[in-house]
Amino acid sequence: MAAPPSPLGLARRVSGAGAATPAAAWSSSCRPRRLRPRLLPSKRWSGVVRMGAAVGGEQEGEDEEVKLAKEMAAARRRWETLIREQKIKTLTPREAGYTFKLTDKVLLDVRPSNERQKAWVKGSTWIPVFDVDTSFDLGGAGKKFTNYVMGGWWSGSSTMTVNKNFVQQVEEKFSKDTDIIVVCQKGLRSLAACEQLYGAGFQNLFWVQGGLEAAEEEDFEREGPQPFKLAGIGGVSEFFGWTDQQRAQAVKEGLGYRLIFTGRLVGALVLVDALFLGAQRIGPLLQELQSR
């Protein structure tokens, strides 16, 4: 029988297709609530990328999409079991914020550096479960090029690499009886991180459902230049304000926020038009020079 997939089958890239559902009202009991299986990510699984985990039963030459589907299904079953059996407890962003402020629980941010540097919770501990790939070897360059042409230019997504020392780094910071609230941007990577930590012997783990993207600004004390909801976007779509997160933000901010991106779009169109006209004029000049 093949071995089950390891916890290193992590969510490597999560699409910025829209903000998660806003957090529920804070419970007066502050007691973690059990997550129903239907609340686990479903449509977002298209953005989950395999990172070296072996999926039991796969055959040599099996289609890549079939392998990926098997791994996603296996990971969902494991995570649902951990939550259903209360081995990993669930908090909404608002519950997590109040709990972090009012108790001695620690908040562990497992996001990559490109998201962390935009916005982070004051007082949180940062240990990425995977981070931006900064290697310059030929293989790494090929992956980065593929990622860019396959949509990275639009979404700003980066090629990621697993932090193989993640569990060790957490163990160096915290004892295994520490109450740890684990958070990422959307909620997938933190759940994968919880699985690794639970397997290493950590017993008091709290998963923030929906991640920081589902948090309101008042839920946590934020540091950094961007709102929590915008920390996971990038690329051309962010520059022009065409992401779902920015459209939602525009509703709150009003006309001034919209005008910023309208100005960027108008400026880009003017630049493209100028380049086109310049090319039209240069063409005849080059032909005239060649004919002399």
Side-chain angles (χ1 to χ4, degrees):
M1 181 179 296
S6 77
L8 287 179
L10 305 178
R12 180 169 116 183
R13 182 180 60 202
V14 181
S15 61
T21 305
W26 166 244
S27 159
S28 60
S29 65
C30 299
R31 183 176 60 187
R33 297 182 298 175
R34 179 174 297 181
L35 182 69
R36 299 175 183 174
R38 65 181 178 85
L39 294 180
L40 279 175
S42 54
K43 293 182 180 179
R44 289 179 183 166
W45 281 91
S46 59
V48 176
V49 179
R50 182 175 58 189
M51 300 201 65
V55 179
E58 68 181 38
Q59 302 296 322
E60 185 177 355
E62 191 172 19
D63 184 82
E64 187 68 20
E65 292 186 3
V66 175
K67 296 178 184 179
L68 181 58
K70 285 184 177 181
E71 181 176 342
M72 292 192 295
R76 288 190 66 177
R77 288 193 296 270
R78 296 196 309 269
W79 295 350
E80 287 175 351
T81 299
L82 289 171
I83 292 171
R84 184 173 58 250
E85 296 178 355
Q86 289 286 285
K87 294 175 180 177
I88 296 174
K89 302 172 182 66
T90 305
L91 297 173
T92 66
R94 181 160 297 180
E95 290 171 339
Y98 274 93
T99 302
F100 181 55
K101 292 173 185 176
L102 301 177
T103 69
D104 59 355
K105 292 179 175 62
V106 300
L107 184 68
L108 178 62
D109 185 346
V110 300
R111 296 176 299 162
S113 56
N114 59 338
E115 294 177 1
R116 168 81 179 186
Q117 65 190 9
K118 293 180 181 179
W120 62 92
V121 178
K122 184 177 181 180
S124 62
T125 301
W126 178 56
I127 303 177
V129 71
F130 60 91
D131 207 351
V132 178
D133 185 1
T134 57
S135 63
F136 293 98
D137 58 273
L138 186 60
K143 290 179 181 178
K144 292 175 185 177
F145 176 78
T146 301
N147 176 75
Y148 182 81
V149 299
M150 292 299 289
W153 64 274
W154 175 258
S155 66
S157 62
S158 302
T159 305
M160 298 290 169
T161 182
V162 174
N163 179 8
K164 297 180 180 179
N165 299 317
F166 171 70
V167 173
Q168 178 184 343
Q169 291 171 353
V170 176
E171 289 174 335
E172 292 172 354
K173 285 275 187 179
F174 308 112
S175 63
K176 293 187 177 180
D177 60 352
T178 304
D179 292 338
I180 303 178
I181 303 171
V182 187
V183 68
C184 66
Q185 187 64 24
K186 291 176 179 285
L188 285 178
R189 295 167 293 184
S190 54
L191 194 49
C194 283
E195 182 185 16
Q196 288 194 59
L197 294 175
Y198 181 81
F202 287 88
Q203 299 297 320
N204 303 318
L205 298 171
F206 300 81
W207 170 58
V208 181
Q209 177 187 332
L212 290 176
E213 190 167 297
E216 300 299 333
E217 285 297 301
E218 61 269 20
D219 292 341
F220 296 98
E221 187 174 355
R222 176 177 60 84
E223 294 184 325
Q226 293 278 8
F228 289 125
K229 292 183 182 295
L230 304 186
I233 62 176
V236 174
S237 59
E238 179 191 20
F239 182 79
F240 289 121
W242 288 340
T243 66
D244 290 343
Q245 295 91 329
Q246 288 168 301
R247 284 193 287 268
Q249 189 75 12
V251 173
K252 298 179 181 180
E253 298 290 341
L255 181 61
Y257 187 84
R258 294 187 180 94
L259 288 176
I260 295 174
F261 300 103
T262 301
R264 290 180 180 180
L265 179 59
V266 171
L269 292 175
V270 170
L271 177 61
V272 170
D273 190 49
L275 292 174
F276 179 73
L277 291 176
Q280 284 184 320
R281 294 180 179 180
I282 291 175
L285 290 176
L286 292 176
Q287 290 180 351
E288 183 179 347
L289 290 173
Q290 290 177 350
S291 63
R292 290 181 180 177

